[in-house]
Amino acid sequence: MASRKLFLLPGDGIGVESMAEVKKIIAYMDKELGLDFECEEGLVGGAAYDAHGTAISEEDMKRALAADAVLFGAVGGPKWAKVPYEVRPEAGLLRLRKDLGLFANLRPAICYPSLASASSLKRELVDGLDILIVRELTGGVYFGEPKEIIDLGHGQKRAIDTQIYDTYEIDRIARVAFDLARTRKNKVTSLEKHNVMKTGILWNEVVTEVHDKDYKDVTLEHMLADSGGMQLVRAPKQFDVIVTDNLFGDIFSDIAAMLTGSLGMLPSASLGEEDKKTGKRHALYEPVHGSAPDIAGKGIANPIAMIASLAMCLRYSFLMGAEADRLEKAISAVLDDGVRTADIYSEGMKKVSTGEMGDAILQKFKTMVA
Ligand code: IPM
Ligand code: MG
């Protein structure tokens, strides 16, 4: 089999530290397991701005387009708070999503049993939690035009963001959600605000049509997004797959992450449309946590979300389900051993650094492979 081409974009802040742990695991799989990974590394976010004055260079965009999968760390930080909007660190990530056509963002929120007490909710509400948020990622208010601030004079300005959804965008993300539900508990909850937003009305309509036409076997439920948000913290285990737009998905995935004990635990996959001829699709894998400038460079960040993102990459881009399972089990086993980074630490556990957590997971992974 031809080598697997990975493009690594560690980015800023704890993205860099977390990616270092992923590199250890890739190196092991490459050398010891002969899995033949070919890694290139580039710059994104503030790091790219410092080097090239832009949030991602054309060169690195080409490399991202040529790769089988992109592993992305995090972008942003106070150092770049004043750079022009067009080249702010986040623009690098948004350009990758748009140009690679990564419309489907999968954000699983799984509560590892040994971490249930680290959740901000009561143990019984989150123990065994396993939900999947499917967030539309290339449309909505993130990319809609016009998007601008107009000077009205007299000290007044007007800010405009535009929420737009076309039928095909809702149709294809709904299908991703229904297909995934079939591999899980077979239930989809669609969240929108059809009581206020035109996009909510169309969203609701199209999801229902897709369901009635091709997915009658899947249970479909609609909730207004605010009420869904309330349910997410009241009784999160009622959900299986949640499908929602770009902005609601951004918000609810942070909430779901926190339910699992720490924002440092949640991985994500962003997938493009499958090429009918080659069967390939662009894909980018990233932790849901951001660059966490407050703890960056201290060696205390939790690398689990980044490592779990690698597991998703093995599963979705390379169809290596067994290796992905092993890596996820290694993470779970290390947590069962009481090994904790500061963000998930509790009394009586063993507090470790980012590097020690990465080493512990790699060590477990090795024993599981053997
Ligand atoms: C996320 C992040 C991004 C987003 C930022 C960094 C642009 O919060 O991936 O959830 O808003 O989508
Ligand atoms: Mg977010």
Side-chain angles (χ1 to χ4, degrees):
M1 153 146 200
S3 64
R4 302 170 169 91
K5 277 164 80 177
L6 283 175
F7 186 44
L8 311 186
L9 288 170
D12 308 319
I14 66 168
V16 180
E17 293 151 73
S18 311
M19 191 66 84
E21 301 315 307
V22 157
K23 283 194 224 168
K24 290 181 192 169
I25 297 172
I26 295 173
Y28 171 76
M29 291 195 295
D30 186 42
K31 289 200 192 72
E32 307 294 326
L33 304 185
L35 290 178
D36 202 9
F37 283 108
E38 189 186 311
C39 286
E40 286 191 60
E41 193 166 325
L43 297 173
V44 68
Y49 179 78
D50 290 347
H52 311 296
T54 169
I56 185 160
S57 65
E58 296 308 319
E59 174 80 1
D60 280 346
M61 271 311 302
K62 279 198 198 115
R63 295 204 280 171
L65 279 159
D68 292 318
V70 179
L71 290 181
F72 185 98
V75 288
K79 184 179 172 198
W80 303 283
K82 298 238 157 64
V83 308
Y85 181 80
E86 291 69 31
V87 293
R88 73 200 188 287
E90 291 76 9
L93 176 58
L94 296 177
R95 167 129 191 242
L96 281 160
R97 288 175 180 170
K98 197 68 178 172
D99 287 11
L100 270 60
L102 308 173
F103 71 94
N105 183 215
L106 280 39
R107 298 191 161 184
I110 292 167
C111 184
Y112 295 90
S114 51
L115 278 190
S117 52
S119 170
S120 45
L121 294 193
K122 293 190 201 91
R123 168 179 272 282
E124 62 268 25
L125 291 182
V126 293
D127 202 355
L129 180 75
D130 179 0
I131 57 185
L132 177 63
I133 297 187
V134 176
R135 168 186 177 193
E136 197 293 323
L137 201 61
T138 48
V141 78
Y142 272 63
F143 295 99
E145 296 283 349
K147 188 178 194 66
E148 60 189 341
I149 298 179
I150 305 166
D151 202 333
L152 301 175
H154 318 292
Q156 289 295 306
K157 292 181 184 176
R158 177 171 297 154
I160 305 174
D161 290 292
T162 308
Q163 165 92 342
I164 304 182
Y165 273 108
D166 288 359
T167 304
Y168 81 95
E169 294 176 289
I170 306 168
D171 183 291
R172 67 182 178 181
I173 195 72
R175 286 176 193 280
V176 170
F178 288 126
D179 283 336
L180 286 164
R182 280 180 174 159
T183 70
R184 301 167 47 95
K185 294 186 208 112
N186 218 28
K187 179 176 166 190
V188 170
T189 308
S190 170
L191 302 181
E192 34 64 18
K193 285 276 294 174
H194 69 259
N195 55 349
V196 179
M197 300 167 77
K198 293 288 184 187
T199 49
I201 295 173
L202 187 66
W203 185 280
N204 187 303
E205 250 174 51
V206 175
V207 172
T208 304
E209 272 168 30
V210 171
H211 172 259
D212 293 354
K213 186 159 168 272
D214 292 325
Y215 296 92
K216 272 272 191 227
D217 56 302
V218 183
T219 305
L220 170 65
E221 173 182 67
H222 295 280
M223 275 188 197
L224 290 170
D226 52 346
S227 162
M230 181 272 286
Q231 291 297 340
L232 197 56
V233 291
R234 192 187 74 87
K237 283 193 254 181
Q238 70 184 283
F239 295 105
D240 178 26
V241 175
I242 292 176
V243 64
T244 192
D245 76 14
N246 206 342
L247 182 60
F248 290 142
D250 180 43
I251 297 166
F252 292 135
S253 58
D254 265 29
I255 296 175
M258 200 58 225
L259 299 180
T260 70
S262 161
L263 206 50
M265 306 295 299
L266 199 74
S268 79
S270 304
L271 308 174
E273 205 113 43
E274 199 177 276
D275 184 313
K276 290 277 177 308
K277 274 198 216 121
T278 62
K280 285 193 173 188
R281 55 171 20 141
H282 288 302
L284 178 147
Y285 301 87
E286 60 170 317
V288 171
H289 64 66
S291 57
D294 51 325
I295 60 161
K298 295 186 180 158
I300 59 171
N302 184 349
I304 289 180
M306 190 73 242
I307 295 173
S309 298
L310 172 64
M312 291 191 90
C313 170
L314 297 177
R315 175 166 289 119
Y316 292 107
S317 283
F318 301 120
L319 308 178
M320 295 163 60
E323 298 299 334
D325 284 349
R326 272 187 197 149
L327 189 51
E328 281 163 1
K329 280 196 192 120
I331 294 171
S332 194
V334 164
L335 292 171
D336 288 345
D337 287 350
V339 178
R340 300 282 190 277
T341 41
D343 56 315
I344 49 176
Y345 177 76
S346 61
E347 192 79 23
M349 300 288 129
K350 183 173 177 239
K351 196 187 269 184
V352 299
S353 66
T354 310
E356 287 165 337
M357 179 58 96
D359 290 343
I361 293 169
L362 178 55
Q363 224 35 58
K364 277 281 180 214
F365 184 70
K366 284 182 186 173
T367 61
M368 290 178 163
V369 170

